[in-house]
Every structure is written in C-alpha cells, then in structure tokens.
PDB file of all heavy atoms in Angstrom:
ATOM      1  N   VAL C   1     -24.115  -2.946   7.001  1.00 69.00           N
ATOM      2  CA  VAL C   1     -23.009  -2.092   7.456  1.00 69.00           C
ATOM      3  C   VAL C   1     -21.661  -2.801   7.339  1.00 69.00           C
ATOM      4  O   VAL C   1     -20.616  -2.177   7.486  1.00 69.00           O
ATOM      5  CB  VAL C   1     -23.220  -1.619   8.907  1.00 69.00           C
ATOM      6  CG1 VAL C   1     -24.456  -0.777   9.036  1.00 69.00           C
ATOM      7  CG2 VAL C   1     -23.259  -2.791   9.877  1.00 69.00           C
ATOM      8  N   HIS C   2     -21.677  -4.106   7.083  1.00 70.00           N
ATOM      9  CA  HIS C   2     -20.429  -4.856   6.935  1.00 70.00           C
ATOM     10  C   HIS C   2     -20.164  -5.254   5.488  1.00 70.00           C
ATOM     11  O   HIS C   2     -19.259  -6.037   5.215  1.00 70.00           O
ATOM     12  CB  HIS C   2     -20.469  -6.104   7.806  1.00 70.00           C
ATOM     13  CG  HIS C   2     -20.692  -5.808   9.263  1.00 70.00           C
ATOM     14  ND1 HIS C   2     -19.790  -5.111  10.020  1.00 70.00           N
ATOM     15  CD2 HIS C   2     -21.738  -6.095  10.083  1.00 70.00           C
ATOM     16  CE1 HIS C   2     -20.241  -4.984  11.255  1.00 70.00           C
ATOM     17  NE2 HIS C   2     -21.424  -5.568  11.317  1.00 70.00           N
ATOM     18  N   THR C   3     -20.946  -4.729   4.568  1.00 78.00           N
ATOM     19  CA  THR C   3     -20.759  -5.067   3.159  1.00 78.00           C
ATOM     20  C   THR C   3     -19.652  -4.208   2.551  1.00 78.00           C
ATOM     21  O   THR C   3     -19.315  -3.132   3.059  1.00 78.00           O
ATOM     22  CB  THR C   3     -22.051  -4.856   2.361  1.00 78.00           C
ATOM     23  OG1 THR C   3     -22.415  -3.466   2.420  1.00 78.00           O
ATOM     24  CG2 THR C   3     -23.193  -5.715   2.925  1.00 78.00           C
ATOM     25  N   ASP C   4     -19.091  -4.665   1.435  1.00 77.00           N
ATOM     26  CA  ASP C   4     -17.987  -3.939   0.807  1.00 77.00           C
ATOM     27  C   ASP C   4     -18.345  -2.516   0.384  1.00 77.00           C
ATOM     28  O   ASP C   4     -17.535  -1.602   0.579  1.00 77.00           O
ATOM     29  CB  ASP C   4     -17.454  -4.735  -0.384  1.00 77.00           C
ATOM     30  CG  ASP C   4     -16.626  -5.939   0.063  1.00 77.00           C
ATOM     31  OD1 ASP C   4     -16.232  -5.981   1.250  1.00 77.00           O
ATOM     32  OD2 ASP C   4     -16.372  -6.824  -0.761  1.00 77.00           O
ATOM     33  N   PRO C   5     -19.546  -2.283  -0.216  1.00 79.00           N
ATOM     34  CA  PRO C   5     -19.866  -0.889  -0.576  1.00 79.00           C
ATOM     35  C   PRO C   5     -19.871   0.035   0.636  1.00 79.00           C
ATOM     36  O   PRO C   5     -19.420   1.189   0.548  1.00 79.00           O
ATOM     37  CB  PRO C   5     -21.253  -1.000  -1.213  1.00 79.00           C
ATOM     38  CG  PRO C   5     -21.288  -2.379  -1.777  1.00 79.00           C
ATOM     39  CD  PRO C   5     -20.540  -3.216  -0.771  1.00 79.00           C
ATOM     40  N   TRP C   6     -20.356  -0.444   1.787  1.00 82.00           N
ATOM     41  CA  TRP C   6     -20.357   0.401   2.980  1.00 82.00           C
ATOM     42  C   TRP C   6     -18.930   0.622   3.484  1.00 82.00           C
ATOM     43  O   TRP C   6     -18.582   1.696   3.962  1.00 82.00           O
ATOM     44  CB  TRP C   6     -21.224  -0.237   4.066  1.00 82.00           C
ATOM     45  CG  TRP C   6     -21.292   0.588   5.307  1.00 82.00           C
ATOM     46  CD1 TRP C   6     -20.726   0.326   6.505  1.00 82.00           C
ATOM     47  CD2 TRP C   6     -21.965   1.852   5.471  1.00 82.00           C
ATOM     48  NE1 TRP C   6     -20.988   1.325   7.416  1.00 82.00           N
ATOM     49  CE2 TRP C   6     -21.746   2.273   6.806  1.00 82.00           C
ATOM     50  CE3 TRP C   6     -22.714   2.666   4.622  1.00 82.00           C
ATOM     51  CZ2 TRP C   6     -22.270   3.469   7.297  1.00 82.00           C
ATOM     52  CZ3 TRP C   6     -23.222   3.854   5.123  1.00 82.00           C
ATOM     53  CH2 TRP C   6     -23.011   4.236   6.440  1.00 82.00           C
ATOM     54  N   ARG C   7     -18.097  -0.404   3.371  1.00 83.00           N
ATOM     55  CA  ARG C   7     -16.693  -0.253   3.775  1.00 83.00           C
ATOM     56  C   ARG C   7     -16.004   0.833   2.960  1.00 83.00           C
ATOM     57  O   ARG C   7     -15.119   1.538   3.452  1.00 83.00           O
ATOM     58  CB  ARG C   7     -15.952  -1.575   3.611  1.00 83.00           C
ATOM     59  CG  ARG C   7     -16.327  -2.614   4.657  1.00 83.00           C
ATOM     60  CD  ARG C   7     -15.365  -3.801   4.620  1.00 83.00           C
ATOM     61  NE  ARG C   7     -15.735  -4.804   5.586  1.00 83.00           N
ATOM     62  CZ  ARG C   7     -16.377  -5.932   5.294  1.00 83.00           C
ATOM     63  NH1 ARG C   7     -16.698  -6.187   4.036  1.00 83.00           N
ATOM     64  NH2 ARG C   7     -16.680  -6.803   6.234  1.00 83.00           N
ATOM     65  N   VAL C   8     -16.379   0.958   1.701  1.00 88.00           N
ATOM     66  CA  VAL C   8     -15.793   2.011   0.865  1.00 88.00           C
ATOM     67  C   VAL C   8     -16.045   3.378   1.488  1.00 88.00           C
ATOM     68  O   VAL C   8     -15.157   4.245   1.503  1.00 88.00           O
ATOM     69  CB  VAL C   8     -16.365   1.953  -0.562  1.00 88.00           C
ATOM     70  CG1 VAL C   8     -15.958   3.191  -1.356  1.00 88.00           C
ATOM     71  CG2 VAL C   8     -15.873   0.700  -1.284  1.00 88.00           C
ATOM     72  N   LEU C   9     -17.239   3.583   2.027  1.00 89.00           N
ATOM     73  CA  LEU C   9     -17.552   4.868   2.672  1.00 89.00           C
ATOM     74  C   LEU C   9     -16.721   5.053   3.931  1.00 89.00           C
ATOM     75  O   LEU C   9     -16.290   6.163   4.240  1.00 89.00           O
ATOM     76  CB  LEU C   9     -19.047   4.947   2.992  1.00 89.00           C
ATOM     77  CG  LEU C   9     -19.973   4.938   1.778  1.00 89.00           C
ATOM     78  CD1 LEU C   9     -21.425   5.006   2.222  1.00 89.00           C
ATOM     79  CD2 LEU C   9     -19.661   6.101   0.852  1.00 89.00           C
ATOM     80  N   ARG C  10     -16.524   3.980   4.677  1.00 87.00           N
ATOM     81  CA  ARG C  10     -15.673   4.073   5.867  1.00 87.00           C
ATOM     82  C   ARG C  10     -14.237   4.417   5.478  1.00 87.00           C
ATOM     83  O   ARG C  10     -13.573   5.216   6.138  1.00 87.00           O
ATOM     84  CB  ARG C  10     -15.696   2.748   6.635  1.00 87.00           C
ATOM     85  CG  ARG C  10     -16.947   2.541   7.461  1.00 87.00           C
ATOM     86  CD  ARG C  10     -16.855   1.246   8.238  1.00 87.00           C
ATOM     87  NE  ARG C  10     -17.930   1.152   9.203  1.00 87.00           N
ATOM     88  CZ  ARG C  10     -18.221   0.049   9.890  1.00 87.00           C
ATOM     89  NH1 ARG C  10     -17.500  -1.045   9.692  1.00 87.00           N
ATOM     90  NH2 ARG C  10     -19.200   0.031  10.768  1.00 87.00           N
ATOM     91  N   ILE C  11     -13.756   3.774   4.429  1.00 89.00           N
ATOM     92  CA  ILE C  11     -12.408   4.058   3.952  1.00 89.00           C
ATOM     93  C   ILE C  11     -12.305   5.520   3.514  1.00 89.00           C
ATOM     94  O   ILE C  11     -11.340   6.230   3.838  1.00 89.00           O
ATOM     95  CB  ILE C  11     -12.040   3.110   2.791  1.00 89.00           C
ATOM     96  CG1 ILE C  11     -11.918   1.675   3.307  1.00 89.00           C
ATOM     97  CG2 ILE C  11     -10.748   3.552   2.114  1.00 89.00           C
ATOM     98  CD1 ILE C  11     -11.913   0.623   2.211  1.00 89.00           C
ATOM     99  N   GLN C  12     -13.310   5.969   2.783  1.00 93.00           N
ATOM    100  CA  GLN C  12     -13.336   7.367   2.345  1.00 93.00           C
ATOM    101  C   GLN C  12     -13.315   8.299   3.541  1.00 93.00           C
ATOM    102  O   GLN C  12     -12.586   9.298   3.559  1.00 93.00           O
ATOM    103  CB  GLN C  12     -14.587   7.619   1.506  1.00 93.00           C
ATOM    104  CG  GLN C  12     -14.755   9.065   1.064  1.00 93.00           C
ATOM    105  CD  GLN C  12     -16.019   9.243   0.235  1.00 93.00           C
ATOM    106  OE1 GLN C  12     -16.213   8.577  -0.759  1.00 93.00           O
ATOM    107  NE2 GLN C  12     -16.891  10.133   0.675  1.00 93.00           N
ATOM    108  N   ALA C  13     -14.110   7.961   4.570  1.00 91.00           N
ATOM    109  CA  ALA C  13     -14.158   8.794   5.768  1.00 91.00           C
ATOM    110  C   ALA C  13     -12.797   8.836   6.464  1.00 91.00           C
ATOM    111  O   ALA C  13     -12.386   9.882   6.975  1.00 91.00           O
ATOM    112  CB  ALA C  13     -15.219   8.265   6.730  1.00 91.00           C
ATOM    113  N   GLU C  14     -12.074   7.713   6.469  1.00 92.00           N
ATOM    114  CA  GLU C  14     -10.750   7.696   7.087  1.00 92.00           C
ATOM    115  C   GLU C  14      -9.780   8.608   6.341  1.00 92.00           C
ATOM    116  O   GLU C  14      -8.987   9.323   6.955  1.00 92.00           O
ATOM    117  CB  GLU C  14     -10.189   6.271   7.139  1.00 92.00           C
ATOM    118  CG  GLU C  14     -10.849   5.414   8.188  1.00 92.00           C
ATOM    119  CD  GLU C  14      -9.967   4.278   8.678  1.00 92.00           C
ATOM    120  OE1 GLU C  14      -8.928   3.999   8.056  1.00 92.00           O
ATOM    121  OE2 GLU C  14     -10.319   3.679   9.695  1.00 92.00           O
ATOM    122  N   PHE C  15      -9.835   8.573   5.017  1.00 94.00           N
ATOM    123  CA  PHE C  15      -8.986   9.468   4.248  1.00 94.00           C
ATOM    124  C   PHE C  15      -9.336  10.925   4.535  1.00 94.00           C
ATOM    125  O   PHE C  15      -8.449  11.774   4.728  1.00 94.00           O
ATOM    126  CB  PHE C  15      -9.113   9.181   2.754  1.00 94.00           C
ATOM    127  CG  PHE C  15      -8.251   8.044   2.271  1.00 94.00           C
ATOM    128  CD1 PHE C  15      -8.814   6.874   1.809  1.00 94.00           C
ATOM    129  CD2 PHE C  15      -6.869   8.154   2.281  1.00 94.00           C
ATOM    130  CE1 PHE C  15      -8.026   5.821   1.367  1.00 94.00           C
ATOM    131  CE2 PHE C  15      -6.064   7.113   1.841  1.00 94.00           C
ATOM    132  CZ  PHE C  15      -6.645   5.936   1.382  1.00 94.00           C
ATOM    133  N   VAL C  16     -10.636  11.241   4.563  1.00 94.00           N
ATOM    134  CA  VAL C  16     -11.058  12.619   4.813  1.00 94.00           C
ATOM    135  C   VAL C  16     -10.586  13.081   6.194  1.00 94.00           C
ATOM    136  O   VAL C  16     -10.052  14.187   6.350  1.00 94.00           O
ATOM    137  CB  VAL C  16     -12.586  12.741   4.691  1.00 94.00           C
ATOM    138  CG1 VAL C  16     -13.071  14.103   5.178  1.00 94.00           C
ATOM    139  CG2 VAL C  16     -13.024  12.527   3.245  1.00 94.00           C
ATOM    140  N   GLU C  17     -10.785  12.232   7.219  1.00 92.00           N
ATOM    141  CA  GLU C  17     -10.364  12.596   8.571  1.00 92.00           C
ATOM    142  C   GLU C  17      -8.842  12.764   8.639  1.00 92.00           C
ATOM    143  O   GLU C  17      -8.342  13.712   9.253  1.00 92.00           O
ATOM    144  CB  GLU C  17     -10.810  11.521   9.566  1.00 92.00           C
ATOM    145  CG  GLU C  17     -12.304  11.486   9.828  1.00 92.00           C
ATOM    146  CD  GLU C  17     -12.806  12.740  10.518  1.00 92.00           C
ATOM    147  OE1 GLU C  17     -12.022  13.388  11.248  1.00 92.00           O
ATOM    148  OE2 GLU C  17     -13.985  13.093  10.323  1.00 92.00           O
ATOM    149  N   GLY C  18      -8.119  11.839   8.022  1.00 92.00           N
ATOM    150  CA  GLY C  18      -6.660  11.925   8.053  1.00 92.00           C
ATOM    151  C   GLY C  18      -6.135  13.157   7.346  1.00 92.00           C
ATOM    152  O   GLY C  18      -5.297  13.885   7.878  1.00 92.00           O
ATOM    153  N   PHE C  19      -6.646  13.409   6.136  1.00 94.00           N
ATOM    154  CA  PHE C  19      -6.220  14.594   5.393  1.00 94.00           C
ATOM    155  C   PHE C  19      -6.569  15.867   6.151  1.00 94.00           C
ATOM    156  O   PHE C  19      -5.778  16.812   6.206  1.00 94.00           O
ATOM    157  CB  PHE C  19      -6.866  14.618   4.008  1.00 94.00           C
ATOM    158  CG  PHE C  19      -6.378  13.537   3.081  1.00 94.00           C
ATOM    159  CD1 PHE C  19      -7.184  13.091   2.045  1.00 94.00           C
ATOM    160  CD2 PHE C  19      -5.130  12.970   3.229  1.00 94.00           C
ATOM    161  CE1 PHE C  19      -6.748  12.093   1.178  1.00 94.00           C
ATOM    162  CE2 PHE C  19      -4.683  11.969   2.379  1.00 94.00           C
ATOM    163  CZ  PHE C  19      -5.499  11.539   1.344  1.00 94.00           C
ATOM    164  N   GLY C  20      -7.768  15.890   6.735  1.00 93.00           N
ATOM    165  CA  GLY C  20      -8.190  17.078   7.469  1.00 93.00           C
ATOM    166  C   GLY C  20      -7.346  17.345   8.695  1.00 93.00           C
ATOM    167  O   GLY C  20      -6.971  18.490   8.991  1.00 93.00           O
ATOM    168  N   ALA C  21      -6.995  16.286   9.423  1.00 91.00           N
ATOM    169  CA  ALA C  21      -6.222  16.448  10.655  1.00 91.00           C
ATOM    170  C   ALA C  21      -4.772  16.814  10.390  1.00 91.00           C
ATOM    171  O   ALA C  21      -4.145  17.525  11.183  1.00 91.00           O
ATOM    172  CB  ALA C  21      -6.287  15.162  11.476  1.00 91.00           C
ATOM    173  N   LEU C  22      -4.220  16.335   9.267  1.00 94.00           N
ATOM    174  CA  LEU C  22      -2.785  16.471   9.030  1.00 94.00           C
ATOM    175  C   LEU C  22      -2.423  17.497   7.964  1.00 94.00           C
ATOM    176  O   LEU C  22      -1.238  17.746   7.724  1.00 94.00           O
ATOM    177  CB  LEU C  22      -2.207  15.115   8.626  1.00 94.00           C
ATOM    178  CG  LEU C  22      -2.430  13.981   9.640  1.00 94.00           C
ATOM    179  CD1 LEU C  22      -1.972  12.644   9.044  1.00 94.00           C
ATOM    180  CD2 LEU C  22      -1.698  14.253  10.938  1.00 94.00           C
ATOM    181  N   ALA C  23      -3.425  18.101   7.335  1.00 93.00           N
ATOM    182  CA  ALA C  23      -3.168  18.985   6.191  1.00 93.00           C
ATOM    183  C   ALA C  23      -2.230  20.137   6.535  1.00 93.00           C
ATOM    184  O   ALA C  23      -1.437  20.574   5.693  1.00 93.00           O
ATOM    185  CB  ALA C  23      -4.479  19.527   5.636  1.00 93.00           C
ATOM    186  N   GLU C  24      -2.284  20.649   7.756  1.00 90.00           N
ATOM    187  CA  GLU C  24      -1.470  21.805   8.116  1.00 90.00           C
ATOM    188  C   GLU C  24      -0.245  21.434   8.946  1.00 90.00           C
ATOM    189  O   GLU C  24       0.390  22.297   9.547  1.00 90.00           O
ATOM    190  CB  GLU C  24      -2.335  22.820   8.860  1.00 90.00           C
ATOM    191  CG  GLU C  24      -3.459  23.375   7.987  1.00 90.00           C
ATOM    192  CD  GLU C  24      -4.294  24.419   8.693  1.00 90.00           C
ATOM    193  OE1 GLU C  24      -4.009  24.712   9.871  1.00 90.00           O
ATOM    194  OE2 GLU C  24      -5.236  24.943   8.071  1.00 90.00           O
ATOM    195  N   VAL C  25       0.078  20.133   8.976  1.00 92.00           N
ATOM    196  CA  VAL C  25       1.282  19.706   9.677  1.00 92.00           C
ATOM    197  C   VAL C  25       2.503  20.261   8.954  1.00 92.00           C
ATOM    198  O   VAL C  25       2.590  20.199   7.727  1.00 92.00           O
ATOM    199  CB  VAL C  25       1.325  18.157   9.733  1.00 92.00           C
ATOM    200  CG1 VAL C  25       2.714  17.669  10.143  1.00 92.00           C
ATOM    201  CG2 VAL C  25       0.281  17.637  10.705  1.00 92.00           C
ATOM    202  N   PRO C  26       3.461  20.830   9.694  1.00 90.00           N
ATOM    203  CA  PRO C  26       4.688  21.322   9.030  1.00 90.00           C
ATOM    204  C   PRO C  26       5.531  20.148   8.555  1.00 90.00           C
ATOM    205  O   PRO C  26       5.118  18.993   8.614  1.00 90.00           O
ATOM    206  CB  PRO C  26       5.380  22.090  10.158  1.00 90.00           C
ATOM    207  CG  PRO C  26       4.911  21.418  11.411  1.00 90.00           C
ATOM    208  CD  PRO C  26       3.488  21.001  11.149  1.00 90.00           C
ATOM    209  N   ARG C  27       6.731  20.435   8.080  1.00 93.00           N
ATOM    210  CA  ARG C  27       7.605  19.356   7.628  1.00 93.00           C
ATOM    211  C   ARG C  27       7.760  18.321   8.749  1.00 93.00           C
ATOM    212  O   ARG C  27       7.839  18.676   9.935  1.00 93.00           O
ATOM    213  CB  ARG C  27       8.957  19.909   7.206  1.00 93.00           C
ATOM    214  CG  ARG C  27       9.694  20.682   8.288  1.00 93.00           C
ATOM    215  CD  ARG C  27      10.962  21.288   7.735  1.00 93.00           C
ATOM    216  NE  ARG C  27      11.744  21.950   8.783  1.00 93.00           N
ATOM    217  CZ  ARG C  27      13.002  22.334   8.635  1.00 93.00           C
ATOM    218  NH1 ARG C  27      13.621  22.122   7.486  1.00 93.00           N
ATOM    219  NH2 ARG C  27      13.639  22.921   9.613  1.00 93.00           N
ATOM    220  N   ALA C  28       7.795  17.052   8.361  1.00 96.00           N
ATOM    221  CA  ALA C  28       7.737  15.991   9.362  1.00 96.00           C
ATOM    222  C   ALA C  28       8.554  14.781   8.919  1.00 96.00           C
ATOM    223  O   ALA C  28       8.867  14.614   7.736  1.00 96.00           O
ATOM    224  CB  ALA C  28       6.293  15.581   9.604  1.00 96.00           C
ATOM    225  N   VAL C  29       8.882  13.934   9.890  1.00 97.00           N
ATOM    226  CA  VAL C  29       9.582  12.681   9.646  1.00 97.00           C
ATOM    227  C   VAL C  29       8.815  11.573  10.347  1.00 97.00           C
ATOM    228  O   VAL C  29       8.405  11.726  11.502  1.00 97.00           O
ATOM    229  CB  VAL C  29      11.029  12.730  10.179  1.00 97.00           C
ATOM    230  CG1 VAL C  29      11.713  11.369  10.030  1.00 97.00           C
ATOM    231  CG2 VAL C  29      11.825  13.808   9.462  1.00 97.00           C
ATOM    232  N   THR C  30       8.597  10.476   9.643  1.00 96.00           N
ATOM    233  CA  THR C  30       7.952   9.317  10.254  1.00 96.00           C
ATOM    234  C   THR C  30       9.018   8.388  10.792  1.00 96.00           C
ATOM    235  O   THR C  30       9.966   8.036  10.085  1.00 96.00           O
ATOM    236  CB  THR C  30       7.078   8.580   9.230  1.00 96.00           C
ATOM    237  OG1 THR C  30       6.017   9.453   8.806  1.00 96.00           O
ATOM    238  CG2 THR C  30       6.457   7.340   9.853  1.00 96.00           C
ATOM    239  N   VAL C  31       8.851   7.995  12.056  1.00 97.00           N
ATOM    240  CA  VAL C  31       9.808   7.106  12.714  1.00 97.00           C
ATOM    241  C   VAL C  31       9.082   5.826  13.117  1.00 97.00           C
ATOM    242  O   VAL C  31       8.049   5.870  13.785  1.00 97.00           O
ATOM    243  CB  VAL C  31      10.425   7.764  13.964  1.00 97.00           C
ATOM    244  CG1 VAL C  31      11.532   6.872  14.525  1.00 97.00           C
ATOM    245  CG2 VAL C  31      10.997   9.144  13.624  1.00 97.00           C
ATOM    246  N   PHE C  32       9.641   4.699  12.696  1.00 96.00           N
ATOM    247  CA  PHE C  32       9.075   3.399  13.037  1.00 96.00           C
ATOM    248  C   PHE C  32       9.966   2.686  14.042  1.00 96.00           C
ATOM    249  O   PHE C  32      11.157   2.954  14.144  1.00 96.00           O
ATOM    250  CB  PHE C  32       8.940   2.526  11.786  1.00 96.00           C
ATOM    251  CG  PHE C  32       8.015   3.095  10.757  1.00 96.00           C
ATOM    252  CD1 PHE C  32       8.511   3.672   9.604  1.00 96.00           C
ATOM    253  CD2 PHE C  32       6.646   3.066  10.954  1.00 96.00           C
ATOM    254  CE1 PHE C  32       7.664   4.210   8.655  1.00 96.00           C
ATOM    255  CE2 PHE C  32       5.794   3.600  10.009  1.00 96.00           C
ATOM    256  CZ  PHE C  32       6.297   4.166   8.866  1.00 96.00           C
ATOM    257  N   GLY C  33       9.376   1.752  14.761  1.00 96.00           N
ATOM    258  CA  GLY C  33      10.139   0.954  15.707  1.00 96.00           C
ATOM    259  C   GLY C  33       9.207   0.038  16.472  1.00 96.00           C
ATOM    260  O   GLY C  33       7.984   0.159  16.406  1.00 96.00           O
ATOM    261  N   SER C  34       9.786  -0.849  17.221  1.00 96.00           N
ATOM    262  CA  SER C  34       9.020  -1.904  17.878  1.00 96.00           C
ATOM    263  C   SER C  34       8.136  -1.384  19.011  1.00 96.00           C
ATOM    264  O   SER C  34       8.577  -0.589  19.844  1.00 96.00           O
ATOM    265  CB  SER C  34       9.968  -2.958  18.435  1.00 96.00           C
ATOM    266  OG  SER C  34       9.255  -3.936  19.152  1.00 96.00           O
ATOM    267  N   ALA C  35       6.908  -1.890  19.048  1.00 94.00           N
ATOM    268  CA  ALA C  35       6.012  -1.613  20.166  1.00 94.00           C
ATOM    269  C   ALA C  35       6.468  -2.346  21.426  1.00 94.00           C
ATOM    270  O   ALA C  35       6.008  -2.049  22.524  1.00 94.00           O
ATOM    271  CB  ALA C  35       4.586  -2.026  19.807  1.00 94.00           C
ATOM    272  N   ARG C  36       7.374  -3.311  21.274  1.00 94.00           N
ATOM    273  CA  ARG C  36       7.795  -4.154  22.398  1.00 94.00           C
ATOM    274  C   ARG C  36       9.036  -3.629  23.110  1.00 94.00           C
ATOM    275  O   ARG C  36       9.514  -4.246  24.063  1.00 94.00           O
ATOM    276  CB  ARG C  36       8.044  -5.580  21.895  1.00 94.00           C
ATOM    277  CG  ARG C  36       6.837  -6.177  21.200  1.00 94.00           C
ATOM    278  CD  ARG C  36       7.077  -7.600  20.759  1.00 94.00           C
ATOM    279  NE  ARG C  36       5.957  -8.104  19.965  1.00 94.00           N
ATOM    280  CZ  ARG C  36       5.802  -9.367  19.595  1.00 94.00           C
ATOM    281  NH1 ARG C  36       6.709 -10.267  19.939  1.00 94.00           N
ATOM    282  NH2 ARG C  36       4.759  -9.733  18.869  1.00 94.00           N
ATOM    283  N   THR C  37       9.571  -2.510  22.660  1.00 96.00           N
ATOM    284  CA  THR C  37      10.746  -1.937  23.313  1.00 96.00           C
ATOM    285  C   THR C  37      10.377  -1.447  24.710  1.00 96.00           C
ATOM    286  O   THR C  37       9.466  -0.633  24.863  1.00 96.00           O
ATOM    287  CB  THR C  37      11.309  -0.765  22.483  1.00 96.00           C
ATOM    288  OG1 THR C  37      11.620  -1.232  21.164  1.00 96.00           O
ATOM    289  CG2 THR C  37      12.558  -0.196  23.123  1.00 96.00           C
TER     290      THR C  37
END
C-alpha cells in the first residue's frame, strides 16, 4: 500500500474527488496568506 504504483491510484482518487467536489463551483478567486496571522 506504500509502493509507487499504489500511490498512483491514491493520486488519481484525489483528482477524482477534487474534480467531483469543485466541478460546479461558480467563478472563484483563490486567496493565499499566512497560517500564522
């Protein structure tokens, strides 16, 4: 479960989950800044 081929599936799953969750998000802006503020 810690080998590179298995990690590829985890990476694929992250893309699928991210695309699925955000696909219908309207226009958006990403804002970055310090976690220490």
Side-chain angles (χ1 to χ4, degrees):
V1 298
H2 302 295
T3 62
D4 286 345
W6 181 251
R7 287 191 181 102
V8 170
L9 296 179
R10 282 183 170 170
I11 293 165
Q12 177 180 304
E14 286 205 348
F15 277 113
V16 170
E17 289 294 332
F19 292 155
L22 303 173
E24 296 182 0
V25 166
R27 58 185 184 166
V29 175
T30 297
V31 187
F32 298 105
S34 176
R36 304 182 186 190
T37 303

